[in-house]
Amino acid sequence: MTACSRRFSDPDFFEAFTAEQFLKEYDLSHNQIDSGLIGGTGDGGIDGFYLFVNGDLHDEDVLHYTPPRGASLDLCMLQSKMGRGFQETPVERFLTVSANILNLDVDVESLHNIYNSALVSAIQRFRDVYSHLVTSFPDFRIRYGYACKAADSPRSPIKRKVDKLNNLVTHLFPDARFQFDFLGAPALLALARRAPQASYTLQLAENPISSRGAVGFLCLVRLSDFYQFITDENGRLRRRIFEANVRDFQGSTEVNKEIMNSLDAASGEDFWWLNNGISIVATRASLGGKELTLEDPEIVNGLQTSTQIHSFLADSSAGTDRRHVLVKILVPIDSGSRDRIIKATNRQTAVHLASLRSTDDIHRDIEEYFMGRGLWYDRRKNYYKNRGKARDEIVSISYLAQSMMAIVLKRPDTARARPSSLLKRDVDYTRVFDPSHPIALYYVCAESMRRVERFLREEAKLPPKDRTNLRFFVGTHAVLSALRSRTPRIGALASFDLRLLDAARIESSCTHVRLEYDRLGGTDRVAKGPTLRAAVLDDIAKNHGPATKTS
């Protein structure tokens, strides 16, 4: 059970565990799972609320790109109950809250009188994304999950209420696909035991050209076979085989339009004559006849081409397309070789340097430094999670960026509001991952935030929505107050004695931040805005500055 190392009877752990199983197909990191847990007073019965665009979690207030026509949109809502049997009440609560979430005529602002700020913000985020995508006719799925420790199937009256929920969804969104998952103990256990797929088979059109010495293959693959390789059982892209930290799909760019035009064209040229190929790295590759078995494959160049192939063949007869795509498969000798391959293959097309984050030397240095101190730096998304490392010992790139933004740059509001785009904006990235920073600085920031979060969860026992809103502000206040400086030097932060960050210090900071947060309204908007940040920094300057010398 990888969701958390705490005991199973803990309701917080059960929520995180069930969310991980409910969302297994999206291969989320632990931090991403936590970001959607909104349970608490005024949650409308919703414990987890997640929105996905093209299989990627959308957890910010703004969608930064326009997905292609026919993009997928998944709205997933979860209730997690500790009871040992399915009950009617949770389904009834889904009915009630869905009437407000899905009815676009209901003013979101009016919902502040009914629900907590985390749920209202999530509803607004869904409405904004849906309105952004509606003209492109997205493949829209509305998915509900009800998890408990039941050993038996739900009774007929409960299923009839699910039918009512289906009718409500169909009435409000006739083109949406409705899905309801009952996750009892057997289903949860089966999902927990299901390991991520590691080996994939790629059917080749001809015998490949292979390299001598190092393992490498140059292959022609039929579009229909490549489509099968990149497509899961639900007909969607296998997000796991795309290098998560290279770059996102770029939408309707001229290059992508040209790729689609070449797919649409009925000319005599084969597809691979007109387009760049696909580059794949794998940990192992085994050839048997015209079939390649790849272990842990990742498409490190060709995301745009792959996405357009998937989109084209999903809307046509994939089995009858006889054209080919050129595929290069490499088995790097080590992580350094892998990173060099990624950088080299992505230089051939116009790519922001910001899109090659995880291959920067600084991230390998951080990974090695953390490893010597009992932490696992997940510069390759879910690399350590999928290898069974403890949840509390894994630090993702995005979480480290947020920690640095809060403590070093003193921008806890930005860390809260933009967890994903911190790695995509050059101006933010270069300030956070500055090669001139001492490597110890990254450990201090990550470990400080881990201690703060542990206190908020286990000692203060804050509900998930308040932990999410307050953690970076508490981290900023606790470290700066311990250093007795609003503007500490980088060297002072890098050499910060973590023993100063004890429970008393964190509790004091938590008390102060909560008072200001509640005074300002206690909403998501407050946590994402500059006013709370200013109040926290003003308190440091007034009450935690350098001690006054006395004669």
Side-chain angles (χ1 to χ4, degrees), residues 242-247 281 298-300 335-336 338-340 342-343 346 352-367 377-383 396-398 423-424 429 433:
F242 290 91
E243 167 56 43
N245 295 311
V246 174
R247 55 177 166 171
V281 297
E298 289 182 299
I299 294 176
V300 297
S335 63
R338 174 186 175 277
D339 291 341
R340 288 190 293 274
I342 293 172
K343 282 189 175 181
N346 278 282
H352 274 178
L353 290 179
S355 299
L356 300 171
R357 303 306 193 200
S358 69
T359 62
D360 290 348
D361 289 342
I362 190 171
H363 294 294
R364 286 205 300 273
D365 293 341
I366 293 171
E367 184 178 23
Y377 184 52
D378 219 31
R379 67 186 185 95
R380 295 170 60 188
K381 181 185 173 185
N382 287 342
Y383 179 83
S396 68
I397 292 183
S398 60
L423 297 176
K424 298 175 183 177
Y429 178 82
F433 293 106

Side-chain angles (χ1 to χ4, degrees), residues 296-347:
D296 291 329
E298 289 182 299
I299 294 176
V300 297
N301 184 265
L303 170 59
Q304 318 302 317
T305 303
S306 299
T307 303
Q308 296 292 51
I309 291 172
H310 180 270
S311 178
F312 176 76
L313 292 185
D315 295 331
S316 64
S317 180
T320 61
D321 201 309
R322 311 302 292 177
R323 291 176 293 175
H324 302 83
V325 62
L326 186 66
V327 181
K328 180 169 62 177
I329 295 155
L330 303 166
V331 180
I333 56 175
D334 54 36
S335 63
S337 174
R338 174 186 175 277
D339 291 341
R340 288 190 293 274
I341 291 167
I342 293 172
K343 282 189 175 181
T345 55
N346 278 282
R347 285 197 190 101

Side-chain angles (χ1 to χ4, degrees), residues 226-243:
F226 185 71
Y227 173 83
Q228 295 299 325
F229 177 73
I230 63 174
T231 304
D232 66 17
E233 61 274 10
N234 297 312
R236 302 193 177 195
L237 281 173
R238 300 182 192 271
R239 308 306 302 182
R240 189 168 180 268
I241 68 173
F242 290 91
E243 167 56 43

